[in-house]
Amino acid sequence: MAKLRKMLGSPDSPYIISLMRLIETQSKHTISCWAVSYAQQVMLPIYEKSALKSDCVKLALETAQGYLAKEKNLAEVKAAAKEVMAQAKQPGLSPSEQAAVRAISSSLSSISTPTSALGMCFYAAAALAYDRVGTEETDTVYEQIAAEECQKMYQRLQEIAVEHEENPAKIDWNC
């Protein structure tokens, strides 16, 4: 087995390129709604398996949802995101739990930096792969899981995508 990776996927993978192209067509708000919702529904349950779990992660996602509903301010989201990032560095987390926290942190960052939503995808693929099959599989198995999950993420974004969005986010991928 190769060394475990923090993220799975590659910027030149067809499934990532498809996601990037769809993200580019959407507003900052739509992108962050998608990322935060995905993190809450799919990543939080992986993290919550941890004996070391902290309520700050769930509360941060709730704060982000509040911001997206115009009930919280950006400073509150940024403070919550900082706490979540500290959780990712917590010793003793399994690889899947650590990747899930990183995915959650990236989803929170997407509120101010839409390109962070792509980081969420890479971390989420790792979290799901390690949660599903452990850490002793081949790169081929992990790549297949990443491709399948990124396709699901694409479908979730496509479901809420605004057709002919008038104010798409200004994206510079730098990858």
Side-chain angles (χ1 to χ4, degrees):
M1 180 197 81
K3 182 178 183 264
L4 280 183
R5 295 171 44 202
K6 292 178 183 179
M7 302 173 149
L8 293 179
S10 168
D12 58 359
S13 299
Y15 58 87
I16 293 295
I17 292 170
S18 294
L19 252 173
M20 291 166 71
R21 296 303 161 253
L22 181 56
I23 289 169
E24 290 168 348
T25 68
Q26 297 304 298
S27 70
K28 204 171 168 180
H29 186 263
T30 300
I31 295 165
S32 54
C33 284
W34 162 71
V36 170
S37 174
Y38 178 85
Q40 198 163 36
Q41 294 171 8
V42 182
M43 293 292 100
L44 186 59
I46 292 173
Y47 171 69
E48 287 189 325
K49 293 177 184 179
S50 176
L52 304 172
K53 73 178 179 181
S54 166
D55 287 340
C56 80
V57 175
K58 184 176 183 178
L59 293 173
L61 285 165
E62 291 171 1
T63 299
Q65 290 286 11
Y67 173 81
L68 294 168
K70 300 181 188 314
E71 298 165 356
K72 301 277 183 180
N73 65 46
L74 187 57
E76 291 173 288
V77 175
K78 287 184 175 186
K82 190 174 180 179
E83 287 184 47
V84 171
M85 191 42 120
Q87 283 303 120
K89 297 173 184 170
Q90 185 80 1
L93 290 175
S94 72
S96 62
E97 295 161 354
Q98 190 174 59
V101 175
R102 287 184 171 134
I104 292 166
S105 178
S106 294
S107 78
L108 298 171
S109 295
S110 75
I111 289 173
S112 56
T113 309
T115 54
S116 293
L118 190 63
M120 180 206 64
C121 298
F122 291 129
Y123 285 126
L128 285 156
Y130 299 147
D131 186 58
R132 205 174 290 159
V133 298
T135 58
E136 300 295 324
E137 281 296 337
T138 64
D139 287 344
T140 304
V141 170
Y142 293 132
E143 178 63 23
Q144 180 61 37
I145 293 170
E148 290 169 4
E149 194 54 37
C150 285
Q151 182 58 36
K152 290 177 187 175
M153 289 183 233
Y154 178 91
Q155 290 168 347
R156 283 175 161 228
L157 179 55
Q158 198 169 38
E159 288 171 5
I160 67 164
V162 175
E163 201 169 326
H164 308 295
E165 170 62 55
E166 291 182 17
N167 297 304
K170 290 173 182 36
I171 305 284
D172 183 8
W173 292 112
N174 292 320
C175 58

